[in-house]
């Protein structure tokens, strides 16, 4: 492969590496750092070392995956210092690539908050094996070299991840159903319709707020349709002065952003609301309020 072709393959891998790391880590900012560090490692190689690498994109995938594993292994200690629940970092529409319409449902469910939340409950080996095999199509032998396990152990980790995901999620969210429920949710909140809001919420709905103790939000999940409905009507009908609630796309699916207008009309997103849908009702509501997780907005 000539040098120009190598450089083209390397630079063309940046978006792929970022998406790979985001699915593994649930953090867009960390994913961007992982992609950048992978490139730095590539360019620290000597010209002779780079010339011996037959598949630069595969080399970068391995480098990024190992960086992700290191971060996942250290995550429990970092989470111990976190105040309240930890949620994946939401991403706006301009970050999500615009695929062929036929691939849209697949893409939305690959990066949906519902999937990322469940991935958080997996072990690092399960999460890495699942993402590399199911999403990026790597063979188990290739994954084994990356994670330092046997191909059979890697296969078992991916199978365990699939079982966990199957148990935790009844089925992927249908975008049309998701939009319909968010429409009904929005209408009920705007009208202060308690009964209408109850009707779109699963009886066991769970609302989780992630602020890392930096703002005055609930530090524990709110559970149950009536409790969640009261909580929602209390905060969404009376937002802070200067704050508007705008309909946006969150990880490829309808959600809301809390947008504050400051001096000179400058707008800033102070929170993002996303939803999980199951069996025709809203089963989960996630409030991302930690400013550190809103940099992409």
């Amino acid at each position: 492969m000539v040098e120009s072709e190598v450089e083209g393959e390397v630079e063309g891998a940046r978006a792929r590496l970022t998406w790979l790391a985001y699915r593994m880590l649930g953090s867009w900012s960390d994913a961007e750092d992982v992609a950048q560090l992978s490139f730095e490692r590539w360019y620290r190689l000597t010209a002779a070392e780079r010339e011996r690498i037959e598949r630069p994109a595969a080399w970068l995938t391995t480098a990024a995956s190992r960086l992700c594993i290191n971060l996942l292994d250290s995550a429990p200690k970092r989470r111990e210092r976190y105040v309240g629940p930890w949620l994946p970092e939401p991403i706006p529409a301009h970050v999500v690539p615009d695929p062929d319409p036929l691939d849209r449902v697949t893409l939305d469910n690959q990066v949906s908050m519902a999937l990322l939340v469940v991935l958080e409950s997996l072990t690092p080996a399960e999460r890495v094996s699942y993402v590399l095999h199911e999403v990026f199509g790597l063979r188990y032998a290739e994954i084994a070299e990356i994670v330092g396990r046997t191909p059979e152990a890697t296969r078992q980790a991916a199978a365990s991840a699939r079982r966990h995901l199957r148990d935790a999620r009844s089925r992927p969210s249908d975008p049309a159903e998701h939009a319909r429920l968010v429409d009904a949710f929005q209408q009920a909140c705007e009208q202060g319709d308690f009964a209408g809001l109850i009707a779109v919420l699963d009886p066991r709905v769970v609302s989780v707020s992630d602020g890392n103790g930096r703002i005055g939000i609930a530090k524990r999940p709110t559970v149950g349709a009536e409790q969640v409905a009261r909580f929602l009507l209390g905060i969404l009908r009376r937002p802070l002065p200067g704050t508007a609630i705008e309909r946006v796309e969150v990880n490829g699916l309808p959600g809301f952003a809390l947008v504050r207008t400051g001096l000179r009309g400058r707008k800033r997103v102070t929170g993002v609301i996303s939803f999980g849908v199951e069996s025709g009702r809203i089963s989960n509501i996630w409030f991302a309020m930690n400013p550190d997780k809103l940099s992409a907005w």
Side-chain angles (χ1 to χ4, degrees):
M1 185 180 293
V2 299
E3 185 175 349
S4 60
E5 291 177 340
V6 170
E7 289 301 307
E9 180 178 340
V10 169
E11 289 302 322
R14 185 177 296 273
R16 184 176 188 272
L17 294 181
T18 306
W19 279 108
L20 178 147
Y22 176 64
R23 288 174 172 90
M24 288 190 189
L25 303 174
S27 167
W28 188 254
S29 53
D30 284 348
E32 290 181 317
D33 289 344
V34 163
Q36 181 60 33
L37 285 171
S38 301
F39 277 90
E40 290 177 6
R41 291 187 174 187
W42 169 263
Y43 286 111
R44 281 202 298 266
L45 297 174
T46 66
E49 288 172 329
R50 289 199 294 270
E51 189 174 338
R52 287 194 295 268
I53 297 173
E54 296 181 2
R55 299 165 58 205
W59 187 96
L60 286 165
T61 296
T62 298
S65 298
R66 288 174 176 167
L67 287 167
C68 288
I69 291 170
N70 291 339
L71 286 172
L72 289 170
D73 285 339
S74 66
K77 291 184 179 179
R78 290 185 284 120
R79 302 283 169 79
E80 287 176 2
R81 300 190 295 270
Y82 205 84
V83 180
W86 191 98
L87 289 175
E89 186 176 327
I91 52 176
H94 71 264
V95 170
V96 180
D98 188 16
D100 183 284
L102 294 176
D103 296 330
R104 182 76 212 195
V105 173
T106 300
L107 175 68
D108 290 343
N109 285 301
Q110 283 181 359
V111 299
S112 70
M113 286 294 289
L115 175 60
L116 293 174
V117 167
V118 178
L119 286 177
E120 282 298 314
S121 63
L122 303 180
T123 67
E126 290 172 339
R127 186 163 184 168
V128 171
S129 298
Y130 175 84
V131 170
L132 290 176
H133 181 70
E134 297 293 330
V135 181
F136 289 89
L138 270 67
R139 299 189 301 273
Y140 290 119
E142 295 175 298
I143 301 171
E145 292 183 9
I146 293 172
V147 300
R149 294 185 169 213
T150 65
E152 182 56 32
T154 302
R155 185 189 301 275
Q156 291 176 359
S160 176
R162 285 193 296 272
R163 286 194 300 271
H164 194 99
L165 290 166
R166 187 170 57 247
D167 292 341
R169 302 166 68 236
S170 60
R171 61 181 177 82
S173 177
D174 175 73
E177 180 184 53
H178 192 107
R180 177 184 64 79
L181 289 168
V182 173
D183 286 341
F185 173 93
Q186 182 176 12
Q187 182 177 0
C189 286
E190 290 176 347
Q191 296 177 354
D193 182 358
F194 186 78
L197 189 53
I198 290 289
V200 301
L201 298 177
D202 186 279
R204 297 170 296 174
V205 63
V206 179
S207 172
V208 177
S209 302
D210 176 349
N212 197 20
R214 297 174 62 178
I215 56 175
I217 61 171
K219 294 185 176 64
R220 294 182 180 178
T222 303
V223 182
E226 290 192 8
Q227 293 85 343
V228 170
R230 292 192 183 94
F231 169 70
L232 291 169
L233 291 178
I235 62 172
L236 296 181
R237 291 198 71 202
R238 296 184 295 275
L240 293 173
T243 299
I245 300 173
E246 298 183 2
R247 182 74 167 261
V248 295
E249 191 174 279
V250 186
N251 288 60
L253 293 168
F256 299 98
L258 305 179
V259 182
R260 178 171 295 181
T261 302
L263 298 175
R264 302 177 183 175
R266 183 177 181 181
K267 293 185 176 182
R268 179 170 60 91
V269 173
T270 59
V272 173
I273 306 170
S274 53
F275 301 88
V277 169
E278 185 175 330
S279 302
R281 292 193 176 183
I282 293 173
S283 56
N284 297 90
I285 305 173
W286 298 293
F287 287 78
M289 307 295 290
N290 181 352
D292 293 339
K293 295 186 177 182
L294 302 175
S295 59
W297 295 80

